[in-house]
Amino acid sequence: PTDLRAPELPPTTLAARAAAVLRDNDTGTLVTASPKLYPHMWSWDAAFIAIGLAHLDVNRALTELDTLLSAQWSDGMIPHIVFTDATSYFPGPDRWGTDSVPQRPPHVRTSGICQPPVHAIALRRIVDIARHVSRDDVELAETFAARTWPALYRWHRWLARHRMSESCGLITIVHGWESGMDNSPRWDAPYAHVQPGPDLPPYVRLDLLGVDDPNERPSDAEYDRYLWLIEQLRRADYDPEVVPKTLDFRVGDVFTTALFAIACDDLVELAHELSLDAPDEVAELRTWAAHAREAVAHSADPDTGLAFDKDLRNGDTTRTTTVAAFSPLLCSALPEHLEHRLLTHLTGPAWAGHPKFHAAVAPSVSPTEPGFDARRYWRGPQWPVLVWLFSFAFQRRGWTGLARNWREQGLRLVADGSFGEYYEPFTGEPLGSTQQSWTAAVTLDWLC
Ligand code: 9WN
């Protein structure tokens, strides 16, 4: 029904509105993930937001990455939230209890887990954008990239050292929040091991105040588990050696691993383009990229190419098909014939090509899958930011027609100008938060 969506805006108006969202959510040194629901900086959101900002002001885009990097822990981890003073989001810094953690930089409060490593991808994209703007902007972006390259290398080294699973090679996540796909059905089986103890301190959810309908968010039972893992992290003092060995949630994540592979490639490329003198680091990055690709390839079903996560507590392969199962396409992990089969499946009627979809892009979960819920968060809706990632990866692969098609369909999704966090796939109704910064950012990247 059309009343669920505002009418489509023409591209120039849409671009102006997207720019206004980024401006309105800008605190000066960081753009919050959204005005109401997420009044802080999130790690992977910041990377996409910086890409969007680069189309408005390259210098401001670089400041965004600088703010994030200034919150990097001394061991290399980039935390998943950098907190502002806002108190309307739970769990805030007190609940995370990272103030006493020695790795955290003293001037800023952060969470104590990470998110997918898309930052090098963003930096490289920003350098590219700058090359189309002006000589001064190229100078700015390249100088910045050369200065921050070592910090990004240390971030990747932290992942390689502490999170590359010895058994399967996939990057280990210790909380669903680390995947960025919090309540995806991918995590249902691993979360079944997480049994909140009676000593879980009480809490009040604030996220439900930021949406129209609580059914668009994770359930209370899921939140108890999320909060219980924070207790376990605190009890392990956020020690990167201890956490991946002891937490009740330990999963090898194919999607994060695929992104890690291409982000390592991008750091290598940047080192070459900027003539950085870091031969040992570049060699390591190449090795990590190769290992990550191998691990993704290894996690793929030999008949379909669909890749599955690994529950590291019991060695089970979690055979839940979500959009993450198409991760091999992001990092070219598979032989051509299998890749072709996987791509045909992704663009076919069970996924992006579903005949009843408002926009022909992949949902987070296919309507043909048992766990599908058209309105609930990572269990079915379409996420513009994921559409961007796939279309961007297609472009890198040289599949330009497909990339253009996904960009056009992505724009169809966001053309109502509400910049929803996610969208109901059949009606195109915006769900979750509106004025979501990363949705505005990818819109700008598509339009500019
Ligand atoms: C928890 C900010 C973040 C995104 C995540 C998305 C959601 C947070 C939440 O919002 O997660 O980190 O409170 O639900 O799942 O991908 O980075 O936009």
Side-chain angles (χ1 to χ4, degrees):
T2 46
D3 57 348
L4 295 175
R5 263 176 80 89
E8 287 204 1
L9 298 173
T12 43
T13 315
L14 189 62
R17 294 256 184 109
V21 167
L22 294 185
R23 252 181 249 119
D24 290 348
N25 295 347
D26 192 351
T27 66
T29 50
L30 66 84
V31 173
T32 60
S34 73
K36 244 167 77 189
L37 187 55
Y38 307 118
H40 306 290
M41 170 181 259
W42 262 259
S43 163
W44 78 324
D45 298 53
F48 297 108
I49 290 167
I51 293 173
L53 286 171
H55 292 288
L56 308 173
D57 176 350
V58 169
N59 198 28
R60 180 63 192 82
L62 301 174
T63 300
E64 196 69 9
L65 293 180
D66 226 4
T67 301
L68 180 66
L69 289 174
S70 72
Q72 183 173 26
W73 286 20
S74 60
D75 58 8
M77 184 186 80
I78 295 185
H80 108 292
I81 304 177
V82 181
F83 289 109
T84 65
D85 292 335
T87 52
S88 53
Y89 178 82
F90 179 84
D94 292 335
R95 185 67 177 220
W96 281 98
T98 54
D99 286 354
S100 56
V101 176
Q103 307 93 290
R104 185 189 55 86
H107 64 278
V108 62
R109 303 188 86 190
T110 73
S111 69
I113 56 172
C114 61
Q115 270 190 328
V118 288
H119 314 90
I121 300 171
L123 181 57
R124 186 153 177 235
R125 174 82 186 123
I126 293 166
V127 171
D128 272 353
I129 294 169
R131 289 185 179 135
H132 292 98
V133 183
S134 72
R135 220 174 257 237
D136 285 353
D137 282 316
V138 177
E139 172 75 24
L140 265 180
E142 291 191 348
T143 306
F144 178 88
R147 171 166 71 79
T148 55
W149 193 93
L152 289 174
Y153 160 77
R154 287 194 311 109
W155 161 223
H156 285 215
R157 187 182 61 187
W158 184 88
L159 286 165
R161 268 196 195 156
H162 298 296
R163 295 301 188 85
M164 249 185 178
S165 153
E166 278 171 22
S167 58
C168 65
L170 293 172
I171 300 283
T172 306
I173 58 164
V174 297
H175 197 299
W177 284 341
E178 290 204 313
S179 71
M181 300 189 190
D182 315 355
N183 74 336
S184 170
R186 299 163 77 187
W187 313 134
D188 288 355
Y191 265 126
H193 308 304
V194 183
Q195 294 301 334
D199 47 341
L200 175 67
Y203 67 94
V204 177
R205 286 181 69 174
L206 299 177
D207 58 304
L208 298 177
L209 303 174
V211 290
D212 294 339
D213 173 2
N215 292 323
E216 294 170 21
R217 294 282 305 169
S219 68
D220 287 345
E222 284 167 329
Y223 253 74
D224 278 351
R225 291 182 162 128
Y226 302 165
L227 271 298
W228 181 245
L229 289 175
I230 294 183
E231 285 313 299
Q232 294 197 320
L233 284 153
R234 291 182 70 145
R235 289 171 198 182
D237 295 324
Y238 294 95
D239 182 333
E241 291 288 338
V242 177
V243 163
K245 296 192 185 99
T246 58
L247 249 67
D248 281 346
F249 185 100
R250 308 194 287 272
V251 188
D253 173 343
V254 284
F255 177 73
T256 293
T257 310
L259 293 175
F260 180 63
I262 52 176
C264 285
D265 294 345
D266 279 349
L267 279 185
V268 169
E269 289 299 322
L270 278 172
H272 285 310
E273 288 173 20
L274 304 171
S275 310
L276 302 182
D277 182 25
D280 297 343
E281 290 84 349
V282 165
E284 277 180 299
L285 286 161
R286 281 191 204 287
T287 308
W288 299 333
H291 286 170
R293 273 200 176 83
E294 264 165 46
V296 172
H298 210 74
S299 65
D301 180 280
D303 294 324
T304 61
L306 291 166
F308 297 108
D309 308 297
K310 192 100 173 164
D311 188 337
L312 298 170
R313 281 196 47 168
N314 54 15
D316 284 357
T317 296
T318 60
R319 297 196 68 90
T320 311
T321 305
T322 71
V323 65
F326 296 93
S327 298
L329 296 173
L330 295 173
C331 67
S332 9
L334 299 178
E336 213 172 305
H337 73 280
L338 204 49
E339 189 160 69
H340 181 72
R341 200 173 297 166
L342 190 59
L343 192 56
T344 307
H345 190 33
L346 178 62
T347 51
W351 285 89
H354 194 290
K356 297 230 164 80
F357 279 0
H358 172 80
V361 293
S364 42
V365 176
S366 160
T368 61
E369 292 296 321
F372 174 77
D373 180 339
R375 305 181 69 81
R376 203 190 274 271
Y377 213 34
W378 290 99
R379 291 182 175 271
Q382 292 163 321
W383 286 70
V385 70
L386 284 190
V387 179
W388 185 91
L389 264 177
F390 276 94
S391 62
F392 187 65
F394 296 156
Q395 183 70 36
R396 289 166 77 119
R397 303 294 313 278
W399 303 336
T400 43
L402 186 62
R404 189 181 334 108
N405 183 258
W406 277 51
R407 192 180 69 227
E408 281 165 12
Q409 292 296 317
L411 280 169
R412 179 170 163 77
L413 197 58
V414 298
D416 64 323
S418 65
F419 304 102
E421 187 182 4
Y422 41 95
Y423 289 81
E424 208 274 4
F426 301 110
T427 60
E429 179 188 354
L431 299 172
S433 168
T434 53
Q435 315 305 309
Q436 181 83 10
S437 297
W438 67 5
T439 306
V442 301
T443 304
L444 277 174
D445 198 54
W446 278 329
L447 285 171
C448 294

